[in-house]
Amino acid sequence: MIDTKDILETIRMIENENLDIRTVTMGISLLDCIDPDIDTACNKIYEKITRCAENLVPVCVEIERELGIPIINKRISVTPIAMILAACNEKNPVKFAYALEKAAQKVGVNFIGGYSALVGKGFAAGDRELIESIPEALSCTEHICSSVNIGSTKAGINLDAVALMGKVVKRAAELTADRNCIGAAKLVVFCNAPEDNPFMAGAFHGVGEADCVINVGVSGPGVVRAALHNSKDLDITGVSDLIKRTAFKITRMGQLVCHLASERLNVQAGIVDLSLAPTPAVGDSVAHILEEIGLESCGACGTTAALAMLNDAVKKGGVMASSRVGGLSGAFIPVTEDAGMIDAARSGALTIEKLEAMTAVCSVGLDMINIPGDTPDEVISAIIADEAAIGMINSKTTAVRVIPAIGKTVGDELSFGGLLGNGPVMKVNTYSPAKFIGRGGQIPAPIQSLKN
Amino acid sequence: MKAVITVVGKDTVGILAKVSTKCAEYNVNIAEVSQTILQGMFCMIMLGEVDSLQGSFGDFADALRDFGDSMNLKINVMHEDIFNSMHKI
């Protein structure tokens, strides 16, 4: 018989510690939908998505009921739309947004990602048009998420794209000011964007991927925190080992769900993303893990070191549990989606500068941070440039998802509801970087030796 | 293929019989049972063979959960795969 202790542990993790599968994301290639006529391309896209993902939601619900584990989100990621747009005679990308939205509603997914462009080394046909249309596309749809990759370790940073994205982020917030600036919460700017990421808002289906795959993102900050809480006297090596063991169990569940979903949908299994993805629910916070390790508040001196150990231990535990690992894999630190981060930001213990340091050792970047609505475009661009530089130099993915809170200032609150949460508007250094950002051009790719 | 059925609640007469009857309705054979009473709380774990299950696994799980709710019991039904994959290498 299966060990009683193991059975009770699993049930406790699910019922009391918010263990869940955060997302099952179907990646669909739209390369075979390319057509010079944009309306024909839109029809092909709608047809392909609704055909491939027809059973995605029912199969996930069936697996949920069978295993007794909640699958919170069912999502779709597609080929970056800028590539499809490149072939069209009519450059009106918002038509694609409507086609994606219609397909997402038809199959019943929570989000569809891939309204994206990859411009790390320059703009190709369609890229600029797509990027400029992002604010409108996000304001007139509900389910679409957008991302733009503006740099990489191999290519450097496209400063023209960085300058453009500052304006686009601001505009996305302005066009949705009546809905808590939600547009900016569905837009992420990457350096070294992964092509198999199942998490929103940054999910897209890379061109190197198979035609249709299933990627799974796991969660479980509450489980890690509870395990640490019950083992108080460990030294930091012991803490790391405990996190590894816990991450292993969490990831095994993701691997099982990935296997079952791909088998039942008759779709290739992609990757499992070994992530600690927090939610605003009490007890599901990455910040609380750091505090459990021994910090008075997330943001205190020592936060970066604790987070580095946590991020590394999650990967070490998870890698052995899954046959194919990918995506972002590590600890997420989205401020408004994490109860402990929200409290730390409100109390002033956590600042944007500290968050920037944390992004050098966590799995993503500056995520879900509310900034004053009057933050100049070039300051937003400079935040993106700083973050991209950390990713470029350290050969890791970094991202920026900041929400200019239109009409609000430091100390005010912005609430999105649901998994996106809520949080205070944080202070931003507004000394002007305008001349730097205005220079344009390409920050050259960094040297890969002489690492000091 | 087995289902792990956990039952927790205040101890009353006939819990085991009632849950077993419900399982029989779905053609689930009870392979193993482990049961304890902790300070008046009834805790039971059953392993049911679901190879000849009548209906879908999800329907069986929902039916037992609803049945548990009607008797003030917390009943979970989960596929054994989840425990095997989490706790065995």
Side-chain angles (χ1 to χ4, degrees):
Chain A
M1 185 168 174
I2 307 162
D3 195 326
T4 309
K5 189 170 73 53
D6 294 341
I7 292 174
L8 296 177
E9 184 189 25
T10 303
I11 292 173
R12 192 188 68 234
M13 285 176 172
I14 295 170
E15 299 219 328
N16 302 340
E17 296 162 7
N18 300 302
L19 177 59
D20 55 48
I21 299 293
R22 184 51 48 82
T23 179
V24 173
T25 304
M26 177 180 270
I28 302 173
S29 168
L30 299 183
L31 291 175
D32 53 353
C33 301
I34 288 176
D35 197 286
D37 179 58
I38 194 165
D39 295 316
T40 308
C42 285
N43 289 338
K44 285 183 185 174
I45 286 174
Y46 177 81
E47 190 279 323
K48 180 156 190 192
I49 294 174
T50 51
R51 174 166 46 85
C52 291
E54 185 185 7
N55 294 320
L56 174 63
V57 174
V59 162
C60 288
V61 170
E62 183 184 283
I63 294 172
E64 268 182 297
R65 291 171 79 200
E66 223 164 90
L67 298 183
I69 174 96
I71 300 175
I72 307 296
N73 286 297
K74 295 89 184 172
R75 297 164 170 171
I76 293 171
S77 63
V78 296
T79 308
I81 291 295
M83 292 182 188
I84 316 299
L85 179 67
C88 297
N89 297 323
E90 181 192 342
K91 295 282 189 282
N92 180 11
V94 178
K95 283 189 174 179
F96 287 117
Y98 282 115
L100 294 173
E101 176 71 21
K102 205 170 120 196
Q105 288 187 11
K106 169 80 177 166
V107 295
V109 290
N110 307 92
F111 278 122
I112 184 162
Y115 200 79
S116 307
L118 311 178
V119 293
K121 215 172 178 182
F123 297 93
D127 286 342
R128 200 179 281 274
E129 289 87 350
L130 183 116
I131 291 174
E132 283 168 351
S133 77
I134 289 173
E136 188 190 345
L138 295 179
S139 76
C140 67
T141 58
E142 254 183 71
H143 297 87
I144 290 183
C145 288
S146 178
S147 56
V148 176
N149 189 61
I150 51 83
S152 68
T153 301
K154 292 220 163 119
I157 297 169
N158 180 349
L159 206 56
D160 293 315
V162 169
L164 182 57
M165 286 315 296
K167 296 186 179 75
V168 169
V169 168
K170 183 74 156 298
R171 189 78 190 129
E174 284 170 351
L175 286 186
T176 50
D178 57 335
R179 282 167 279 158
N180 296 310
C181 311
I182 189 90
K186 294 189 286 184
L187 169 60
V188 57
V189 188
F190 274 117
C191 178
N192 290 325
E195 301 204 337
D196 51 8
N197 163 27
F199 285 101
M200 296 296 172
F204 65 87
H205 189 69
V207 285
E209 298 285 312
D211 190 56
C212 188
V213 296
I214 287 292
N215 297 323
V216 170
V218 299
S219 180
V223 179
V224 175
R225 187 204 180 194
L228 290 173
H229 185 75
N230 296 330
S231 320
K232 287 200 182 307
D233 297 325
L234 296 171
D235 71 359
I236 202 71
T237 314
V239 168
S240 169
D241 277 343
L242 183 60
I243 294 170
K244 271 178 5 193
R245 281 202 299 277
T246 313
F248 175 83
K249 291 178 185 172
I250 295 170
T251 310
R252 287 290 282 179
M253 193 137 52
Q255 172 73 17
L256 175 64
V257 169
C258 186
H259 170 72
L260 289 176
S262 72
E263 194 178 73
R264 290 179 192 184
L265 289 162
N266 197 20
V267 166
Q268 184 179 323
I271 56 93
V272 177
D273 189 318
L274 328 166
S275 285
L276 288 184
T279 68
V282 174
D284 205 19
S285 156
V286 169
H288 286 158
I289 298 177
L290 301 174
E291 289 165 12
E292 197 66 55
I293 291 173
L295 302 168
E296 184 183 357
S297 169
C298 177
C301 295
T303 301
T304 312
L307 180 61
M309 182 276 296
L310 171 66
N311 199 48
D312 183 61
V314 166
K315 288 180 193 174
K316 285 173 177 163
V319 159
M320 183 161 164
S322 170
S323 42
R324 294 176 79 176
V325 175
L328 296 162
S329 288
F332 291 178
I333 53 168
V335 176
T336 68
E337 296 176 4
D338 185 308
M341 298 268 176
I342 296 168
D343 289 342
R346 275 191 194 132
S347 69
L350 184 63
T351 61
I352 289 190
E353 287 74 14
K354 187 64 181 175
L355 280 161
E356 187 180 315
M358 290 160 72
T359 65
V361 299
C362 81
S363 69
V364 212
L366 292 173
D367 198 14
M368 291 303 288
I369 297 172
N370 299 330
I371 59 174
D374 60 358
T375 306
D377 296 351
E378 62 270 17
V379 171
I380 299 174
S381 291
I383 292 172
I384 293 169
D386 281 347
E387 197 53 34
I390 291 173
M392 174 182 75
I393 296 291
N394 293 304
S395 303
K396 73 182 287 289
T397 301
T398 49
V400 173
R401 181 163 52 151
V402 292
I403 300 99
I406 305 302
K408 301 195 176 194
T409 189
V410 178
D412 292 343
E413 294 267 327
L414 199 58
S415 172
F416 310 103
L419 287 181
L420 295 172
N422 64 84
V425 176
M426 296 177 77
K427 185 173 178 298
V428 172
N429 181 335
T430 51
Y431 283 96
S432 177
K435 188 175 176 190
F436 163 61
I437 296 298
R439 283 179 187 272
Q442 182 87 7
I443 297 180
I447 191 165
Q448 292 296 309
S449 61
L450 308 174
K451 290 262 186 190
N452 286 309
Chain B
M1 232 172 44
K2 293 196 180 75
V4 175
I5 304 160
T6 59
V7 184
V8 180
K10 197 169 177 308
D11 192 21
T12 53
V13 174
I15 296 179
L16 178 54
K18 285 171 185 165
V19 175
S20 308
T21 308
K22 202 74 193 167
C23 290
E25 278 176 32
Y26 281 82
N27 206 27
V28 173
N29 180 42
I30 309 292
E32 286 184 57
V33 180
S34 139
Q35 181 205 313
T36 51
I37 311 282
L38 292 170
Q39 298 181 338
M41 288 296 280
F42 178 88
C43 306
M44 175 167 74
I45 298 175
M46 296 170 117
L47 272 188
E49 286 165 354
V50 290
D51 294 311
S52 337
L53 179 70
Q54 239 161 45
S56 77
F57 194 100
D59 290 343
F60 172 57
D62 287 351
L64 268 190
R65 193 191 56 232
D66 294 346
F67 176 68
D69 289 346
S70 72
M71 291 180 47
N72 272 334
L73 293 170
K74 175 92 187 142
I75 303 187
N76 265 312
V77 181
M78 297 157 89
H79 200 284
E80 65 171 338
D81 282 355
I82 193 168
F83 304 102
N84 288 334
S85 65
M86 267 182 97
H87 299 285
K88 287 182 186 165
I89 297 179

